[in-house]
Amino acid sequence: MQAKTTRAVNIGGVKVGGGEPVKIQSMTTEKISEIEKTVAQIHALEQAGCEIVRSAVLDEADARSFQKVKDQIKIPLVADIHFSAKLAVMAIEHGADKVRINPGNIGGEKEIKLVADCIKRHTIPVRVGANTGSIEPEFLQKYGRTEHALVESALYNVRILEKYGVNDIVVSVKASSVPLTVKAYRLLSERTDYPLHIGVTEAGTTEMGVLKSAVGLGSLLLDGIGDTLRVSLTDDPVKEIYAAQNILRAAGLDENFVEVVSCPTCGRCLWESMSLAQKVSAFVQGVKKRAKIAVMGCVVNGPGEAKDADLGIAGGNGFCLLFKKGEAYKKVSAEHAEEEFFKEIRILLENGD
């Protein structure tokens, strides 16, 4: 996989594009003018691994709240604004590290220039793009609801900003359809070298939303496309961060974690390997260390199939084998297997061997 090198953009001290690792983004669900609630939610997102966070701006109270929130958080704070040039300017002047706008609905030439001048004055980047619900009418009429309409609409908005001297731009083209999203981003990647924010919009509730995002974003990441990403879920945004991390890991773009591999089990499995695999996964969640742990159902294939695991366990009738790099080194009773295995996991995480 050869990632496309895009232009570099600085979002509140976080570098995006230019060969930087893909950054994980989410959006608050609290109204930003509810300062205490918003800060608490962002702290939870930070703790989970969020690197950029976005908040909607609905009114002047929201726009004026950015610096107050920024003073209490560590990651860049982005303003999401539609239909009001005044609110866009106000949010920027109150500390927004980046704005997400659609020039097509922010007003006429006068309003667009007002926002563009403010963006340049404060030297912050801007994200523009198109969703299937916000395609410019002329492109929708010409191309229908296709990847060509999405890309042309997004690039049209890019050109508007370029006309007024704005060049620190991030672009997105999202659809709720995974195939359409993938086709649109592949086409967009061919047409521009601006950094791309990737995501499947309106992906749905947790289970299906994670699945659609994994298929769509995973496809793009394996193509080397994407500089920031968001997994959009109708759920607690913290779950978006964990899903995004898992997608990056599955795509081979994050190796600083503890991978847990486990077999689906079959009739040869004579012990509770499934519950142990779940407990191990929960135990190592969030650990920033490159390691691989295997929980295998039986001793017939277990050590061989997980030969590259730093540490593993496989079960038999009344006993379990602990192994390292495919080599068995300890036999324990099934009754004490979980206790013994967790002792070994702690040693691995603390000492690396």
Side-chain angles (χ1 to χ4, degrees):
M1 172 181 58
Q2 180 63 48
K4 177 179 176 178
T5 300
T6 53
R7 302 188 196 186
V9 168
N10 189 315
I11 304 172
V14 172
K15 294 180 181 178
V16 167
E20 290 289 322
V22 179
K23 300 302 190 296
I24 297 173
Q25 185 170 315
S26 186
M27 191 169 183
T28 61
T29 57
E30 300 290 350
K31 198 172 188 301
I32 191 171
S33 53
E34 296 283 346
I35 306 292
E36 188 175 332
K37 291 181 180 179
T38 299
V39 169
Q41 188 171 59
I42 294 175
H43 283 167
L45 289 167
E46 288 175 332
Q47 183 67 28
C50 183
E51 295 166 288
I52 301 168
V53 66
R54 180 162 46 111
S55 289
V57 178
L58 303 180
D59 51 39
E60 292 188 12
D62 287 342
R64 292 194 183 99
S65 299
F66 273 78
Q67 192 61 56
K68 296 174 184 176
V69 172
K70 273 184 61 177
D71 288 343
Q72 301 179 64
I73 65 175
K74 297 177 181 178
I75 59 178
L77 183 59
V78 180
D80 187 290
I81 301 160
H82 293 277
F83 309 115
S84 175
K86 179 182 177 181
L87 291 180
V89 168
M90 192 176 293
I92 295 168
E93 291 180 340
H94 283 81
D97 293 304
K98 173 187 168 190
V99 288
R100 190 274 189 257
I101 62 169
N102 183 340
N105 69 27
I106 209 78
E109 294 281 316
K110 179 181 177 182
E111 287 78 12
I112 294 171
K113 185 177 186 303
L114 183 69
V115 176
D117 288 345
C118 189
I119 288 170
K120 290 186 294 182
R121 189 164 59 250
H122 290 268
T123 61
I124 65 167
V126 56
R127 174 161 76 90
V128 296
N131 292 358
T132 44
S134 65
I135 298 172
E136 301 294 334
E138 62 185 281
F139 301 117
L140 190 59
Q141 183 177 2
K142 183 176 181 179
Y143 297 107
R145 201 175 293 268
T146 65
E147 67 271 24
H148 298 284
L150 279 166
V151 170
E152 291 297 338
S153 186
L155 293 179
Y156 169 78
N157 286 319
V158 167
R159 288 191 289 271
I160 292 174
L161 289 170
E162 290 175 332
K163 175 182 176 181
Y164 294 106
V166 175
N167 295 293
D168 284 340
I169 300 172
V170 178
V171 192
S172 63
V173 281
K174 295 183 178 182
S176 58
S177 161
V178 173
L180 178 55
T181 296
V182 171
K183 287 188 286 187
Y185 274 109
R186 285 173 175 165
L187 179 60
L188 180 62
S189 181
E190 294 174 357
R191 298 279 303 277
T192 186
D193 66 349
Y194 283 119
L196 303 184
H197 172 71
I198 61 175
V200 177
T201 194
E202 300 161 359
T205 53
T206 306
E207 184 175 2
M208 195 61 184
V210 170
L211 183 59
K212 289 174 71 174
S213 295
V215 173
L217 303 187
S219 298
L220 293 170
L221 293 169
L222 289 173
D223 284 344
I225 297 171
D227 298 285
T228 67
L229 65 80
R230 180 190 176 193
V231 175
S232 298
L233 301 178
T234 310
D235 207 324
D236 183 341
V238 167
K239 293 182 181 179
E240 298 183 354
I241 306 306
Y242 292 135
Q245 288 172 345
N246 287 335
I247 291 170
L248 288 173
R249 290 165 180 174
L253 297 177
D254 178 7
E255 296 183 342
N256 191 30
F257 73 106
V258 181
E259 181 182 6
V260 179
V261 297
S262 58
C263 70
T265 79
C266 66
R268 286 193 300 267
C269 184
L270 302 175
W271 68 295
E272 292 296 326
S273 69
M274 198 174 293
S275 64
L276 180 59
Q278 292 166 349
K279 291 176 183 177
V280 172
S281 293
F283 184 75
V284 301
Q285 175 73 46
V287 175
K288 296 293 184 180
K289 182 183 181 69
R290 186 175 182 178
K292 187 172 184 178
I293 299 174
V295 181
M296 308 301 284
C298 72
V299 295
V300 175
N301 295 319
E305 290 180 354
K307 196 170 183 64
D308 61 340
D310 298 290
L311 177 67
I313 186 169
N317 189 8
F319 71 94
C320 289
L321 289 178
L322 306 188
F323 59 91
K324 295 180 181 179
K325 301 295 185 183
E327 299 297 328
Y329 71 96
K330 185 186 292 187
K331 185 176 181 179
V332 297
S333 68
E335 182 183 0
H336 297 104
E338 180 177 319
E339 178 185 354
E340 291 296 322
F341 193 50
F342 270 101
K343 285 181 183 178
E344 297 293 337
I345 291 173
R346 292 186 181 94
I347 292 171
L348 172 68
L349 299 183
E350 290 171 5
N351 304 325
D353 52 41

